[in-house]
Amino acid sequence: MSDRSNERLSVFKTYKLYVGGKFPRSESGRVYEVTDSKGKWLANAPLSSRKDARDAVVAARKAFGGWSGATAYNRGQILYRVAEMLEGRRGQFVHEVADAEGLSKSKAAEQVEATIDRWVWYAGWTDKIAQVVGGANPVAGPYFNLSSPEPTGVVAVLAPQESSFLGLVSVLAPVIATGNTAIVIASENSPLPALSLGEVLATSDLPGGVVNILSGRTAEIAAPLAAHQDVNAIDLAGADDELAKDLEIAAADNLKRVLRPQPVDNWSATPGLDRMTAFLETKTVWHPTGSLGASGSAY
């Protein structure tokens, strides 16, 4: 007869939102079941409410000044630290990605490794993007003209539905690498890797509020974010055509920058600069030379 006294109960993970550097449950108290590709129950994820979305905007706005004012080199160090932390928890994310996307362990490992590499790639661009998209402009006259990029502000990001981790990081990393703060809506059907990413960000020197992660019904959370007057831009990567149209209309109320859904054949492909430049504004400074004096102006 077997001895059952040494058997342990499974310790199930409690997934929470990540808002303002903390891990709240949804304000609504609601959860929804997350299943794997075969319909097997994996966990209960928080079902975010409109109030959660508004709280995330407040946290992102509060963090924007410090994050956008940090040196580009410092932002790069922090993004690289995120990659370090992910490398240390590689096994956990391989397991979660395999369950979320119905992949074999080897295929899931490839996705996680590509995700870690993606963080490193963007970490290397933080102090280089300004030299690529900014610089001195040729002008005719007794003055010189300089253009430099600045972050747009608070960006709402709808993570891709089909790539729960690599796709998520591919749309999130360029937003924060350029000095913006983000509110991320995780993949509705596969939110667990995104919610676990919050735990990594919380221990990687990233200031609280720079990234805020919500889970739940994409359309329900995205609607108040698109219309929110303190959200400056929105990435519709995870929206279908109908939802994207509705959100773009809502975003027009205060002239948000909108990045429309773009077909992506392979998230593993080396990204270009488009997702970084999409949420940068260009500041141009005019400065007189010679006898016009030392005063300058910016537009």
Side-chain angles (χ1 to χ4, degrees), residues 2-289:
S2 62
D3 182 5
R4 300 178 63 87
S5 61
N6 292 326
E7 291 185 5
R8 295 181 63 246
L9 293 174
S10 297
V11 179
F12 293 106
K13 183 172 181 177
T14 301
Y15 288 89
K16 297 182 180 180
L17 307 176
Y18 182 56
V19 176
K22 299 179 181 180
F23 297 94
R25 301 178 189 272
S26 172
E27 170 272 339
S28 67
R30 302 177 301 170
V31 298
Y32 71 106
E33 291 188 353
V34 178
T35 59
D36 64 13
S37 58
K38 297 179 180 178
K40 179 183 176 183
W41 180 87
L42 294 174
N44 289 333
L47 193 58
S48 299
S49 67
R50 290 170 176 260
K51 175 64 163 55
D52 293 318
R54 292 194 296 270
D55 288 345
V57 174
V58 172
R61 176 57 64 191
K62 184 177 180 181
F64 176 70
W67 183 243
S68 62
T71 65
Y73 178 73
N74 181 239
R75 288 199 299 268
Q77 287 182 308
I78 292 173
L79 264 66
Y80 187 82
R81 175 63 173 163
V82 174
E84 287 183 353
M85 300 295 290
L86 285 174
E87 188 74 40
R89 297 178 63 167
R90 180 177 174 277
Q92 173 195 345
F93 283 96
V94 168
H95 178 74
E96 289 186 338
V97 170
D99 286 342
E101 302 180 28
L103 301 176
S104 66
K105 286 293 190 290
S106 60
K107 290 292 184 183
E110 291 177 5
Q111 290 288 299
V112 172
E113 289 165 3
T115 303
I116 296 170
D117 293 346
R118 185 61 41 85
W119 277 113
V120 174
W121 194 86
Y122 279 111
W125 269 104
T126 57
D127 59 355
K128 300 174 182 65
I129 188 67
Q131 284 71 43
V132 174
V133 301
N137 305 311
V139 292
Y143 44 77
F144 60 85
N145 179 308
L146 301 174
S147 293
S148 60
E150 293 188 342
T152 296
V154 174
V155 182
V157 179
L158 279 62
Q161 300 296 331
E162 73 285 354
S163 181
S164 63
F165 198 38
L166 178 57
L168 162 73
V169 169
S170 296
V171 296
L172 169 60
V175 170
I176 64 172
T178 47
N180 299 286
T181 55
I183 302 129
V184 179
I185 303 176
S187 167
E188 184 171 330
N189 294 325
S190 306
L192 303 187
L195 296 176
S196 290
L197 177 63
E199 299 171 3
V200 174
L201 299 178
T203 55
S204 61
D205 303 327
L206 188 74
V210 172
V211 175
N212 305 274
I213 301 175
L214 307 174
S215 61
R217 308 304 179 205
T218 299
E220 182 180 349
I221 311 168
L225 291 176
H228 201 295
Q229 298 296 299
D230 205 24
V231 172
N232 305 112
I234 186 167
D235 184 344
L236 302 176
D240 59 31
D241 291 342
E242 182 177 355
L243 177 59
K245 181 179 179 180
D246 292 341
L247 296 177
E248 189 167 359
I249 292 171
D253 282 346
N254 70 329
L255 300 177
K256 289 182 178 63
R257 275 189 172 243
V258 177
L259 184 59
R260 296 180 175 91
Q262 303 171 9
V264 177
D265 296 328
N266 182 9
W267 285 107
S268 299
T270 301
L273 305 184
D274 290 351
R275 288 194 173 276
M276 284 189 284
T277 57
F279 303 117
L280 286 173
E281 310 294 335
T282 300
K283 180 179 74 173
T284 301
V285 176
W286 299 74
H287 199 289
T289 60

